[in-house]
Each structure stands twice: as structure tokens, then as C-alpha cells.
Amino acid sequence: MDKKGEGVTDGIRMIYKLVLFSGVAIFIFGFSAFSYNYNINIRSAEAMIMARDVSSCLTGGVLNLQDIPSEDYGNILSYCGIPATKRFYVGVDVADSSGHQIAKFHQGDSGMLWIKTLFKNSVSKVDNSNKMIKFSPGYFNSTYPVSIINDGKKIDGHIKVEVLVKYDK
């Protein structure tokens, strides 16, 4: 026995059920989004990008040391056309395959490296370490294999790029 209009009331009840179900789902997903918040250290990301930019500026797989003027050894960011600020320290060590250092490029205050060591050693010893972590410097270092042209000879070697980005308001 079908009553007239019974299908209409079932449709209306279904809409209420869908709205209620959607509200519960949105609440659950919203709560989990706030609970599982992922923090990224933007200074470490900046350091990684800077290291990539400097290494790609210096080499395309081959590093020709005669192309880099000796006065730019201490101004590597300027040589690469990257605006330098006091927030960055960039160091590049060029070595042959045996590890013998051939050249060293840098820009910035290398004394900032002690800040990285300080944060590394003290964050675990402080009760409010979460508050300190947001001030920690960004740091990235990596070694890239390259061919090096030095004094007209091509040798295999590597460059080690080290970048530190200090906290800035």
C-alpha cells in the first residue's frame, strides 16, 4: 500500500541525513587538520635553495676555475648574481677526488656557524626547547661531484656547499 507523497517525505529526510553526515565529516577532518599540523623550518628550505643556486651557478657538471676571478672568491653570491644579505653564510670547498682542497669560495660571516652548534647542543637541554626551535638557523650542506678544470687540466673532484641562514625578524 503506497501512500501518496511518501516518496517526497523520504527525499526530505534523506537531505537532512546528508547534511548531518556532511557536518560530522567536516568536523572530523577539520579537527584532524589542526591536530596534525606540520611545521616547516623555512630557513632550512632557504638554505637548500641557496645551495642549489650556488652550485648550479658554479658548475654545469664542469667547474672551470679560470673563469672565476680571484677577487670573487670572497664574494661568491655576488659572482653568481644572487643578492647578498647579512642573513646568509655560503661556503664552497672545491677538492679533487683524493680530497685535496683546490679552492675555497665564500660570502658572509663564517662566525655564524657557532650559532648552529649552539642551538644543536642547547635545544635538547632546555625545558622550553619548542620556543627556541623557532629561532634556530637554517642549515644545509651537500657534496656534488664535478669535473674541475684547473691550470688547463681536467680532473674529477667534488664541491661541498655549506649554507647557513640565521634568524631575522
Side-chain angles (χ1 to χ4, degrees):
M1 300 200 142
D2 290 331
K3 296 182 186 176
K4 271 189 171 175
E6 187 175 313
V8 174
T9 57
D10 286 343
I12 292 172
R13 286 185 193 142
M14 180 60 98
I15 290 173
Y16 288 125
K17 289 178 185 177
L18 283 173
V19 169
L20 181 65
F21 180 76
S22 298
V24 170
I26 289 172
F27 175 76
I28 290 172
F29 287 128
F31 182 74
S32 65
F34 287 112
S35 298
Y36 298 105
N37 189 4
Y38 180 74
N39 292 325
I40 184 169
N41 184 347
I42 195 70
R43 288 177 293 281
S44 292
E46 278 183 298
M48 187 182 313
I49 292 167
M50 180 69 74
R52 184 194 64 206
D53 289 349
V54 169
S55 66
S56 66
C57 163
L58 291 175
T59 68
V62 177
L63 173 61
N64 190 346
L65 293 175
Q66 281 72 38
D67 289 346
I68 303 171
S70 60
E71 59 269 5
D72 285 336
Y73 278 34
N75 296 311
I76 197 62
L77 293 178
S78 300
Y79 172 78
C80 290
I82 300 170
T85 67
K86 294 181 180 181
R87 293 180 52 223
F88 294 105
Y89 166 73
V90 177
V92 180
D93 291 328
V94 181
D96 61 14
S97 56
S98 66
H100 178 259
Q101 185 179 26
I102 298 171
K104 181 171 178 69
F105 309 111
H106 61 87
Q107 188 161 350
D109 183 10
S110 63
M112 290 191 327
L113 293 173
W114 71 269
I115 296 172
K116 175 186 72 81
T117 307
L118 172 75
F119 271 92
K120 181 179 169 186
N121 293 337
S122 64
V123 165
S124 62
K125 297 175 185 173
V126 176
D127 292 335
N128 293 328
S129 62
N130 288 335
K131 291 180 183 176
M132 276 186 66
I133 288 174
K134 70 179 180 179
F135 299 109
S136 67
Y139 180 74
F140 181 78
N141 72 358
S142 187
T143 303
Y144 304 99
V146 294
S147 294
I148 303 166
I149 298 175
N150 190 18
D151 296 329
K153 292 186 272 182
K154 186 175 181 180
I155 58 173
D156 289 330
H158 62 272
I159 60 171
K160 178 184 175 196
V161 182
E162 180 176 40
V163 179
L164 183 113
V165 180
K166 73 176 184 176
Y167 173 76
D168 190 29
K169 287 185 179 184

